[in-house]
Amino acid sequence: MSQPSTTPRPESIGEARTAEPASATPGVIPRPVSLAPSAGFFDLVTTTSIRVEPGTAEAMAIGRYLAEKLKLATGFNLMVLVASGAPPPGAITLATSDADPLLGAEGYLLTVTPAQVTLAAPHPAGLFHAVQTFRQLLPHAIESDSLQPGPWRLPAVSIRDYPRFEWRGAMLDVSRHFFGVQDIQQFIDRIAYYKLNRLHLHLTDDQGWRIAINAWPALTAHGGSTAVGGGPGGFLTQADYAQIVAYAQQRYIVIVPEIDMPGHTNAALASVPDLNCDGVAPELYTGIEVGFSSLCVDKELTYRFVDDVIGELAALTPGPYLHLGGDEAHSTSEAEYRSFVERVQGLVEAHGKQMVGWEEIARADLHPTSIVQHWSSDLAARAVEQGIRVILSPASRAYLDMQYDSATPLGLHWAGTIEVRDAYDWDPAAQVPGIAEEAILGIEAPLWTETLRTLADIDYMAFPRLAAIAELGWSARGGHSWPDFRERLASHGPRLAAMGVPFYRSPQIDWK
Ligand code: TNX
C-alpha cells in the first residue's frame, strides 16, 4: 500500500515538556511524544473484543494481527468484529475516522481507561504503530509464543504520538552471508516492534548475488553459490522476494532493494564474462576486502545489464525507492564514476523509482528526488546544497556490525566500538556540518554481515542498539534523555527474552 507522505506538524513544544518522572513512564520505546498516566487498569480477558469500524479493510487486518499476537501467550480467541456506535465495556476499538489529521501519516492516539481501549489514527500505519505501543503496555510475557499465566493488565494512560522523521530504517546485508525468507521475516517482526518503517536489503556484493534476475540467470546460479568464508551461499527467487515484500507491507515497512554498483560487483563479474572490460571473468570471491571490483563503465552492455536488473526489481517492488549502492568504487575513475551514476539515475527514474545511493553519489549531478545516504564523510552535505534529502547512517553511531566493545565476539571495529549509549546519545540534526533537521529524511542502521552467519548473530548485534536508533528516528528531540531511555530499555530485556531474541546484555543497563 502506498503511504501518504508525512504531513508537517507544528512543533509540539508543549507536549514534549509534559514528561513525567522516568519512574512513572511505562517502558515504551520509542518514547511517545506525550504520555499521561491516569488512574486504574484495563484488564484483557477472554471476553475482550476487538472492534473495527465498517468499511476499513486495512484496520480489520490490523485487528486480526493484534488478535493473533495476543493469542499465543494468553490463549484467548479474541473476537474481531466490524461494529459502529458506542463500544461496550471491555472493548478494544480501532478507528481511523475523525482522527486528528495533524497526527500525519503514521501518528496515533492510544487511550486506555479501566472500561476500554481506543486506538485512533488518521491512517492505518498509525493504527499499526499504536498496536506496538499497546503490546509494550502489557506485561512482558505477552511476547512469548507459548501459553503464559497472566493476568493481562495495562495501566490507564493517554498517549499522543507521531514520528520525528519519515524514514526510520534498518539495513540487512544478505550478500556477505545469505539470509533467507524466514530469517528476514523474523527480522521484520523485530524492527516493526520499534516502529521502523524501512528495510533496506543489500542484495548484491562481491561475495554473492542474492536476487534472481530472469534475463541473467548466471548471476544467481554462479554468483549466488558462495559467501564470505566459502560457505554455500544462496539466493532469493523472485517469488521469495515478493513474499518478503508482502510480509513487510502488512507491517507498514517499505522494502528498499539495493543492487550495489559500479563497485562491489565481483559476483556479477564472475558470473557474466562479457561484463568485464577484457571479457574475462574473475574467480568468485570469499574474502572481506572492498574496493577492488568495477563494472566496465564504458561498455554499452553494462547499461543493458543494469537496465534489465533495475527493470525486473522495480516491477517486483511496490515501494518508490531503488538503491544503487555507489560506495567505495575505488577501481572506477572519478569522471567515469560520475557519468555512470548520472546515467543509472536516468534508468532508475525510467522505471518509475527514486534513486537512493551511498554518500559517494553526491560527487555526481543528482536530481532533487534522489536520496543520499551518509555513512562516513561530509560528502552528503554537498547533496544538501543541491536541495537533496539525506538518510543518516553514521558508521560510528549507527553501524550495527561494529563491536560493542573490544571483547564482542562478532563484528568489526573500523569505525570504533559502539556501546548502547554511543548508539543512543547523539542528535541527528547536529551530526554532520551542513546537514540540518530539514534536510534529514531520516536515519537508518546498517547491519553488514561479513562476520555474521545466523539469525542469532543478527539479533545479538542489532539488539538493543536498534531500539536506540529507532527512538532517535521516532521520538521528539525535546524528549531525548539517556537516563530515561536507559530505564525504559531495562524493561525491554524481559520482552526481548520472551520473543527469543538473544540480545547483548550491555553492562550500561540495569536489566530487569
Ligand atoms: C563499509 S558502508 C562498506 C561495506 C562494509 C562495511 C563494513 C559502506 C557503504 N560500505 O561494504 O560491509 O563497511 O562495516
Side-chain angles (χ1 to χ4, degrees):
M1 60 221 81
S2 69
Q3 296 193 6
S5 66
T6 310
T7 323
R9 271 165 261 94
E11 239 332 289
S12 57
I13 295 159
E15 286 171 325
R17 288 204 187 125
T18 54
E20 301 75 35
S23 55
T25 313
V28 178
I29 297 176
R31 184 184 199 279
V33 170
S34 83
L35 181 154
S38 52
F41 297 92
F42 176 87
D43 283 305
L44 184 78
V45 293
T46 43
T47 53
T48 300
S49 59
I50 299 177
R51 294 162 58 94
V52 178
E53 295 168 319
T56 51
E58 274 189 64
M60 193 66 194
I62 294 167
R64 290 212 189 88
Y65 160 91
L66 173 60
E68 271 166 40
K69 277 266 171 266
L70 299 176
K71 182 176 179 175
L72 297 172
T74 63
F76 302 162
N77 268 312
L78 299 186
M79 235 191 329
V80 186
L81 53 130
V82 176
S84 48
I92 299 172
T93 304
L94 274 55
T96 48
S97 67
D98 298 332
D100 179 358
L102 286 178
L103 290 165
E106 297 185 285
Y108 66 90
L109 299 178
L110 171 59
T111 316
V112 179
T113 72
Q116 58 168 306
V117 176
T118 312
L119 290 69
H123 299 282
L127 280 185
F128 183 80
H129 296 316
V131 164
Q132 308 315 315
T133 304
F134 177 84
R135 289 167 68 185
Q136 295 188 12
L137 295 175
L138 281 160
H140 63 78
I142 197 69
E143 300 308 336
S144 171
D145 61 6
S146 64
L147 214 53
Q148 303 295 312
W152 306 106
R153 156 170 272 213
L154 299 79
V157 70
S158 174
I159 293 175
R160 178 183 168 86
D161 202 12
Y162 49 79
R164 176 178 176 186
F165 294 115
E166 179 180 330
W167 183 298
R168 304 177 309 278
M171 187 211 82
L172 185 62
D173 168 9
V174 298
S175 175
R176 272 52 179 272
H177 282 101
F178 177 64
F179 295 88
V181 176
Q182 277 196 352
D183 287 344
I184 295 172
Q185 288 181 340
Q186 289 251 39
F187 190 60
I188 286 172
D189 279 327
R190 313 242 204 274
I191 71 176
Y193 190 60
Y194 291 108
K195 301 188 176 74
L196 297 189
N197 64 357
R198 303 281 185 267
L199 177 62
H200 168 182
L201 289 175
H202 184 77
L203 292 167
T204 67
D205 212 302
D206 290 318
Q207 297 86 347
W209 186 285
R210 309 297 182 200
I211 177 74
I213 300 296
N214 296 330
W216 302 81
L219 290 172
T220 42
H222 185 64
S225 67
T226 190
V228 166
F235 64 91
L236 300 172
T237 65
Q238 294 199 351
D240 290 340
Y241 179 82
Q243 197 184 332
I244 292 164
V245 165
Y247 193 85
Q249 256 183 336
Q250 287 157 6
R251 286 149 187 81
Y252 295 86
I253 289 174
V254 177
I255 296 292
V256 181
E258 177 186 350
I259 304 292
D260 206 347
M261 61 182 94
H264 290 277
T265 41
N266 191 77
L269 297 166
S271 306
V272 182
D274 283 348
L275 288 178
N276 297 272
C277 289
D278 61 6
V280 180
E283 293 295 305
L284 290 170
Y285 182 70
T286 60
I288 65 165
E289 295 300 316
V290 297
F292 59 88
S293 56
S294 181
L295 291 175
C296 188
V297 171
D298 25 62
K299 248 192 190 177
E300 266 317 293
L301 179 75
T302 298
Y303 299 92
R304 277 215 305 283
F305 166 79
V306 170
D307 191 48
D308 286 345
V309 170
I310 289 176
E312 288 193 29
L313 204 51
L316 289 165
T317 304
Y321 317 108
L322 232 151
H323 201 305
L324 76 332
D327 57 316
E328 300 172 319
H330 305 320
S331 304
T332 316
S333 75
E334 175 74 12
E336 284 184 333
Y337 178 83
R338 295 218 315 256
S339 74
F340 176 84
V341 168
E342 286 159 19
R343 196 160 163 189
V344 172
Q345 176 174 244
L347 296 178
V348 170
E349 288 172 3
H351 289 287
K353 301 295 179 190
Q354 260 172 283
M355 182 175 78
V356 189
W358 295 106
E359 64 195 12
E360 287 93 329
I361 67 165
R363 286 152 45 193
D365 263 333
L366 301 177
H367 298 160
T369 46
S370 292
I371 297 166
V372 170
Q373 186 166 11
H374 159 77
W375 62 282
S376 79
S377 75
D378 54 10
L379 271 170
R382 272 200 227 173
V384 170
E385 286 165 18
Q386 299 181 50
I388 283 166
R389 294 217 286 171
V390 172
I391 301 162
L392 295 181
S393 301
S396 61
R397 300 287 192 175
Y399 266 35
L400 301 173
D401 64 317
M402 292 300 117
Q403 292 171 290
Y404 290 95
D405 63 25
S406 59
T408 310
L410 303 168
L412 307 173
H413 52 249
W414 65 263
T417 55
I418 305 179
E419 249 295 352
V420 179
R421 185 169 186 168
D422 302 311
Y424 182 78
D425 227 353
W426 56 287
D427 178 11
Q431 179 66 20
V432 189
I435 306 184
E437 184 95 9
E438 311 73 63
I440 301 171
L441 185 58
I443 60 180
E444 182 178 297
L447 186 47
W448 303 98
T449 58
E450 285 94 335
T451 64
L452 314 178
R453 287 188 188 77
T454 65
L455 182 63
D457 294 349
I458 288 176
D459 280 338
Y460 182 77
M461 298 307 278
F463 297 100
R465 289 183 291 197
L466 200 49
I469 298 294
E471 176 145 318
L472 281 171
W474 179 282
S475 305
R477 196 177 180 173
H480 186 93
S481 154
W482 166 250
D484 182 73
F485 176 73
R486 185 177 169 271
E487 181 130 348
R488 282 177 288 118
L489 184 58
S491 72
H492 277 241
R495 292 185 181 279
L496 291 167
M499 287 177 199
V501 177
F503 66 97
Y504 167 65
R505 290 188 174 268
S506 166
Q508 295 183 330
I509 309 298
D510 298 324
W511 296 103
K512 297 225 161 75

